Amino acid sequence: MTPQENLTKYGYLLPNVSTPGGSYLSVNVRDNIAYVAIQFPILNEEYLYLGRLGDELDTTDGYKAMELCALNVLAQINEKVGFDNIIGLNHIEAYFQSGDDWDDSPKVVNGASDLFVKILGAKGEHSRAIFGVHKLPRNFSVGLTASFTILK
């Protein structure tokens, strides 16, 4: 099945593509690698899942927030490169802010990992890194970057 068919099958809609909040490209293509700038849990310009995991938000909220970040990554890559030009997702880097006693980041980042495999199939398999940070812009709980190998 195509990514678009999988989106429909699982009941997902791609969010509107957000514009960069600074002097950078949302998708930067170098040779046959597309780097997607950090995506946050934004749904059509509405900021969602604000706060610290373990304090204002629980692990389930974090999973959903990371899933939304992944949908934003897919929206960016589809608009700037096109699903048909994806060879595969290479690597994701996930960022989160949390309270001191919270330690479920792998479960939260599965929100992105699971979605990529659901939508892209084998092309969505990837490596990943997870970073706890003191603060994310606008108090977002999570953020996600990705790189894809694409057709030239």
Side-chain angles (χ1 to χ4, degrees), residues 5-142:
E5 290 170 335
N6 284 334
L7 286 164
T8 301
K9 174 183 174 182
Y10 292 109
Y12 294 107
L13 292 174
L14 290 180
N16 295 334
V17 173
S18 61
T19 56
S23 298
Y24 61 92
L25 299 171
S26 55
V27 177
N28 188 14
V29 176
R30 293 284 187 253
D31 199 22
N32 68 327
I33 305 294
Y35 300 92
V36 181
I38 195 163
Q39 300 296 301
F40 295 108
I42 300 171
L43 182 59
N44 303 327
E45 299 185 30
E46 183 180 357
Y47 296 173
L48 301 174
Y49 302 104
L50 305 177
R52 293 189 172 279
L53 298 168
D55 289 349
E56 295 87 5
L57 302 167
D58 64 20
T59 300
T60 301
D61 294 326
Y63 183 98
K64 291 176 187 174
M66 195 57 77
E67 186 177 67
L68 180 53
C69 292
L71 283 170
N72 280 305
V73 165
L74 290 176
Q76 291 284 355
I77 205 74
N78 186 44
E79 181 169 298
K80 304 294 189 321
V81 174
F83 283 145
D84 292 344
N85 293 315
I86 295 172
I87 293 172
L89 174 61
N90 300 322
H91 183 77
I92 65 172
E93 293 188 348
Y95 301 86
F96 69 92
Q97 61 176 25
S98 71
D100 291 337
D101 296 328
W102 182 86
D103 193 24
D104 276 344
S105 59
K107 291 178 184 175
V108 163
V109 180
N110 283 345
S113 293
D114 294 346
L115 181 100
F116 285 130
V117 173
K118 265 189 207 176
I119 304 307
L120 300 175
K123 292 180 180 183
E125 294 174 352
H126 57 276
S127 59
R128 71 185 194 186
I130 304 172
F131 303 96
V133 297
H134 175 68
K135 182 143 179 63
L136 287 169
R138 294 171 181 75
N139 201 31
F140 287 116
S141 57
V142 296

